[in-house]
Amino acid sequence: MAKNIAVIGAQWGDEGKGKLVDLLTAHCDAVARFQGGHNAGHTLVTGGRKTVLHLVPSGILREHVVCVIGNGVALSVGALCAEITMLEAQGVAVRERLRVSGGCPLILPSHAALDKARERALGGRAIGTTHLGIGPAYEDKAARRAVRFEDTADAAHFSAALGEQVKFHNFLLAHYGAGAVDFARTRDEILRAADDAAPLMADCGALLDALIRAGKSVLFEGAQGAMLDLDHGTYPFVTSSNTTAACAAAGSGVGPTAIDGVFGITKAYATRVGGGPFPTELHNEAGRLLAERGAEFGATTGRPRRCGWLDAAALRRARQVNGMTSAGLTKLDVLDALDPVLLCTAYRRRGEVVELPPAGAHALAECEPVFEELPGWKTSTAGLTAFDKLPANARRYVERVEEAAGLSMDIISTGAERGQTIVRRNPFLT
Ligand code: GDP
Ligand code: IMO
Ligand code: MG
C-alpha cells in the first residue's frame, strides 16, 4: 500500500535527514518541504559526489520523483535560483521536476539585514541564527504583511507591496543603527529571480492531493529538528517555524489525514549549532573526537557544531510531539573510536529526576544529565549494511537507545554515502 510519511529531525537539526530522505525516495513518488527556508543544509552523497541542498527537496537526484516547495517554506527566490543553477551544472533536470507554491512568503534582503541587526543588538543573549532572515520573514507572515511568491506575477502589485515592506524594514533598521536597504535594487533583484523561477509556480496542495488520490507515495521532508521547533523546542533558542510533523500538512496544502506515519531521525550522539541550552554538551576530548570524526561543521554557515552525548530524554519528547511511528539512527560509525559511550537517560533538576525536557530554555538550562555508561566497540562499523554484522557492543548500544527512547531504530546509517545504511524495516514498504 502506498504510504505518505513525514520525515523529521528529532534533535537540534543536522541529524542526517538529507541522507535518509535521498535513500527513502527510491520508494516514493514525491517529496515536499513544508517549513523552514535556506537555513537548512541537507547533505546527500551519491557515488562519491556530495550535494548540499538548502531549499530544494532531497529527492531531486531521483529522476522519478516530483519535488515540491510547499507554502510553509519561507522562500528566498535568489537562494532558490542559485541552487537550481548549482544542480543544473551537475546535470540534474531540476526544472522538470520541481514545483514551488505561490503561497510561500518571500525572504527579502531586508529580512537578512534585520536578522543580523537584531542578533547584534542581543549581544551575549544572541540566538545564533543563520543570519539569513528566517525569523523576520516568518514575523511578517504572521503579521499579514508578507510579500508572497505569487505576488511577483504582477510587477505593479508586487512593487507596491514591496515598497510598504521595505519602508517598514528601513524604519526598524534605523532603530538598530543599521543601514537602510535600497528599494529599487531589492525590487529589480527579486523580480529578476522571480521571473526565472516563475514557470515553477504551482498549486502544490492540489498537486500533492492528486498524487495521493492516485495511490502515489509522498514523503514530507522536515528541516531543522524537534528541539528547534517554535513551540516545543528550547524557546527562545529555536527557529521561527514549527519543525514537527503536524506542520507537514498545513505547510504543504494537504490535510492531516494524508499522513500515514512519522519517521524521526537522530544521530547516535547529539549536536547543536548556535546558542541555547544543551544538557549533554561535552567540552573534553570525547567532544573533540565527535566533532572531528563527525566533521561537525554547519552545512549552511560552516560554523562548528557543539557536540555531546545522545539525549534520550529529548528523544522521548521528540517522539511525543511528532507522534513518531519509526526512527532512524545516523552516524553510528562516528562512535567507533569512543570508549565508553555515554547515554543520557533522564535529567536531574532541583534535586528531582525528570524524564522529559521541561518547556523552554530557562528551565532546561537548570537540568543536569543523568548518564548511563556503555562499553564502546572500538571496531569500525563504517559502511556496514547488516545489523548482525555490527560489533556486539554497537548492537547493545542501539538496543539500549531504543529502550530508553521508546523508539524502534528501523534504519541505521554507518556512513555518508547513500548505500552505507542498514535497513531493518523500510517505513514506506511495511
Ligand atoms: P541534515 O541537515 O539533517 O540533512 O544533516 P546535514 O547534512 O546538515 O549533516 C549531516 C552530516 O553527516 C552530513 O555531512 C552527512 O553527509 C553526514 N552523514 C550522514 N549520515 C552519516 C553517517 O551515518 N555517518 C557519517 N560519518 N556521516 C554521515
Ligand atoms: P537543518 O535542516 C541546525 C538553528 C540556528 C540557530 C536557530 C535559529 O540542516 O537540520 P534561524 O536562522 O533558523 O533563525 O536560526 O536554529 N538552525 C539549525 N541548526 N540545522 C538546521 O537545519 C538549522 N536551521 C536553523 O543555528 O541556532
Ligand atoms: Mg543540516
Side-chain angles (χ1 to χ4, degrees):
M1 194 197 74
K3 282 196 171 174
N4 309 304
I5 294 175
V7 176
I8 50 83
Q11 300 174 293
W12 283 272
D14 303 327
E15 297 91 348
K17 298 178 291 294
K19 174 190 161 160
L20 292 189
V21 169
D22 167 65
L23 179 86
L24 289 168
T25 45
H27 308 283
C28 50
D29 305 286
V31 183
R33 273 280 307 271
F34 55 88
Q35 48 71 230
H38 61 313
N39 49 350
H42 297 176
T43 313
L44 286 53
V45 185
T46 54
R49 188 165 69 183
K50 177 167 154 175
T51 308
V52 180
L53 300 171
H54 303 286
L55 278 167
V56 174
S58 301
I60 199 70
L61 301 186
R62 306 272 194 184
E63 281 177 16
H64 69 279
V65 172
V66 174
C67 288
V68 164
I69 296 180
N71 55 278
V73 171
L75 181 70
S76 158
V77 270
L80 175 65
C81 291
E83 205 164 313
I84 291 173
T85 305
M86 178 275 288
L87 286 163
E88 283 179 338
Q90 284 192 25
V92 182
V94 191
R95 289 171 196 273
E96 284 173 20
R97 292 187 284 111
L98 178 67
R99 294 296 173 264
V100 183
S101 168
C104 293
L106 293 187
I107 302 186
L108 309 173
S110 45
H111 286 130
L114 273 171
D115 195 352
K116 282 181 212 140
R118 289 214 182 120
E119 284 284 276
R120 206 170 36 238
L122 281 169
R125 291 177 298 118
I127 287 158
T129 73
T130 56
H131 286 183
L132 294 172
I134 306 294
Y138 277 120
E139 282 171 40
D140 280 342
K141 170 181 169 172
R144 299 167 295 186
R145 58 174 172 249
V147 182
R148 310 206 308 179
F149 185 36
E150 65 207 7
D151 294 320
T152 60
D154 177 337
H157 162 69
F158 171 73
S159 293
L162 182 75
E164 287 299 311
Q165 276 264 279
V166 170
K167 200 159 71 182
F168 178 57
H169 290 167
N170 281 339
F171 164 76
L172 295 174
L173 285 167
H175 165 78
Y176 290 110
V181 166
D182 184 68
F183 165 69
R185 215 170 93 195
T186 304
R187 179 195 58 206
D188 297 348
E189 202 178 292
I190 295 194
L191 281 178
R192 209 175 313 116
D195 194 44
D196 191 25
L200 308 182
M201 198 185 300
D203 182 339
C204 292
L207 186 151
L208 292 169
D209 182 56
L211 285 171
I212 292 168
R213 281 151 56 102
K216 307 286 188 194
S217 270
V218 179
L219 186 158
F220 296 89
E221 178 184 10
Q224 292 83 49
M227 300 307 282
L228 290 173
D229 180 273
L230 181 57
D231 288 81
H232 305 290
T234 56
Y235 193 90
F237 297 94
V238 291
T239 191
S240 293
S241 66
N242 285 110
T243 61
T244 35
C247 188
S252 61
V254 298
T257 48
I259 298 164
D260 303 305
V262 179
F263 182 80
I265 303 176
T266 173
K267 286 186 209 194
Y269 51 98
T271 62
R272 168 164 211 166
V273 202
F278 182 16
T280 64
E281 184 170 14
L282 290 165
H283 298 283
N284 61 8
E285 179 59 14
R288 203 192 53 73
L289 260 176
L290 290 174
E292 188 186 298
R293 293 182 50 81
E296 295 297 352
F297 292 92
T300 295
T301 58
R303 289 180 291 173
R305 296 172 181 153
R306 299 155 67 191
C307 295
W309 296 115
L310 187 58
D311 183 339
L315 275 185
R316 287 195 287 268
R317 180 67 83 195
R319 186 201 58 72
Q320 169 224 312
V321 292
N322 285 290
M324 280 163 65
T325 48
S326 63
L329 184 81
T330 62
K331 304 188 93 161
L332 183 65
D333 55 296
V334 173
L335 293 182
D336 289 350
L338 287 104
D339 189 22
V341 177
L342 271 61
L343 174 67
C344 166
T345 54
Y347 307 128
R348 198 175 302 281
R349 181 178 178 222
R350 300 180 180 176
E352 307 233 321
V353 173
V354 288
E355 301 283 329
L356 286 167
H362 185 71
L364 187 62
E366 296 178 350
C367 292
E368 290 289 326
V370 175
F371 283 121
E372 188 173 304
E373 201 174 289
L374 290 108
W377 42 95
K378 300 284 244 175
T379 320
S380 175
T381 63
L384 292 182
T385 55
F387 189 68
D388 58 10
K389 292 280 187 303
L390 287 176
N393 284 347
R395 288 202 304 270
R396 191 166 145 195
Y397 178 67
V398 174
E399 282 159 7
R400 184 65 194 107
V401 172
E402 290 182 312
E403 196 177 61
L407 290 165
S408 158
M409 295 300 165
D410 291 335
I411 299 185
I412 297 165
S413 176
T414 56
E417 263 287 341
R418 187 188 271 174
Q420 294 182 308
T421 319
I422 299 168
V423 182
R424 299 163 88 193
R425 197 179 73 91
N426 184 322
F428 281 94
L429 301 180
T430 47

